[in-house]
Amino acid sequence: MSDGTPADQFFDAAIGLLHRVREEESAAIAAAGTLLADTVEAGGRLFAFGAGHSSLAAQDVVYRAGGLALMNLLPVPGAVGVDVVPATLGSALERVDGLASAVLDTSPVRAGDVLVIISLSGRNALPVEMAMAARGRGVRVIGVTSVAYAAQTSSRHGSGTYLRDHCDIVLDSKIAVGDAELTLDTIPAPFAPASTVVTTALLQAVMATTAQTLAARGVEPPLLRSGNVDGGHDWNTRIMDEYRDRIFYRR
């Protein structure tokens, strides 16, 4: 561990990871941003999915100021977020075979769309099956995961594969197995996870690339403004009306 307080050490660890993904994932970020821009321009729809704490990064790109209005959350009841009680049920649902296919069958996702799947370990049945089933339906898949898990853990899907094995583009978060950056002799378990910080930054980098790519092609990126600035509500109403057939979080 480096010198300084645990807070300093965590910031150092998170900044180090951000530097790594900036340098090592630049090509994948560019490819993901281009794929999203291609899909927007072609009339396709955009979806994001994550289970448990991985859902935080998915939710961060849906219906937010400065974000793409076309990014929709693909919900899996009981698995998106940690609001289900008991919280352990969400983890159990990630291991249920067939759940992902059932969700896709009843969702608006269709061929020509893009689905971003976020799973730190990429080892559970739900994200693996989600990627496999989506691609089988003609959906392009961007996976956001820690590739290290595939080398250091066993898959929980019957195929023995991981999320990374079923994606068109993989974004590697570089998070170490266990997702805890700090240790202390006086604390028996490692602590201070950084996966949310890094994964969220990765996805926002992709969104920024998408916006710039669309603008370079002469297409206005369908971006949302903050509802807390003057004119923001009117702006968002215009964007949502223009793209109403591709936005599913608004009724």
Side-chain angles (χ1 to χ4, degrees):
M1 289 173 52
S2 61
D3 294 333
T5 68
D8 291 334
Q9 293 161 7
F10 177 77
F11 281 123
D12 288 343
I15 291 168
L17 286 163
L18 290 171
H19 277 300
R20 282 193 65 194
V21 297
R22 178 181 182 178
E23 297 300 320
E24 299 173 22
E25 296 302 301
S26 59
I29 290 169
T34 299
L35 176 56
L36 293 187
D38 291 344
T39 304
V40 170
E41 198 170 10
R45 292 88 61 80
L46 311 177
F47 296 86
F49 165 75
H53 285 95
S54 290
S55 71
L56 297 176
Q59 293 177 60
D60 190 63
V61 295
V62 175
Y63 184 54
R64 67 161 306 142
L68 290 172
L70 303 191
M71 186 61 72
N72 300 277
L73 188 68
L74 180 64
V76 176
V80 177
V82 291
D83 56 341
V84 62
V85 178
T88 51
L89 174 60
S91 298
L93 289 174
E94 289 189 64
R95 305 178 190 181
V96 174
D97 291 332
L99 179 56
S101 294
V103 168
L104 287 172
D105 285 342
T106 57
S107 79
V109 179
R110 68 188 184 194
D113 294 344
V114 171
L115 173 59
V116 179
I117 301 176
I118 304 141
S119 174
L120 177 61
S121 72
R123 69 188 295 225
N124 288 311
L126 183 56
V128 174
E129 182 189 335
M130 185 76 74
M132 295 173 69
R135 292 182 85 190
R137 289 162 168 77
V139 177
R140 304 292 294 277
V141 174
I142 298 172
V144 188
T145 187
S146 171
V147 171
Y149 276 82
Q152 300 179 44
T153 67
S154 58
S155 171
R156 288 176 174 153
H157 188 262
S159 67
T161 60
Y162 298 78
L163 171 61
R164 71 167 193 174
D165 299 316
H166 305 285
C167 299
D168 296 281
I169 299 170
V170 174
L171 296 170
D172 182 4
S173 64
K174 316 295 181 182
I175 299 296
V177 173
D179 190 19
E181 294 300 320
L182 304 184
T183 59
L184 281 175
D185 293 340
T186 54
I187 300 177
F191 58 103
S195 60
T196 302
V197 173
V198 177
T199 303
T200 299
L202 263 173
L203 285 176
Q204 290 298 347
V206 171
M207 299 302 136
T209 302
T210 302
Q212 189 277 334
T213 302
L214 287 169
R217 297 175 181 177
V219 178
E220 180 187 341
L223 298 170
L224 296 172
R225 290 178 180 263
S226 171
N228 296 312
V229 300
D230 292 342
H233 178 73
D234 291 339
W235 173 280
N236 292 340
T237 297
R238 175 181 68 83
I239 294 293
M240 289 184 181
D241 286 345
E242 183 176 349
Y243 292 96
R244 64 168 60 90
D245 61 330
R246 298 153 74 179
I247 294 175
F248 301 98
Y249 52 81
R250 182 189 187 193
R251 299 296 184 188

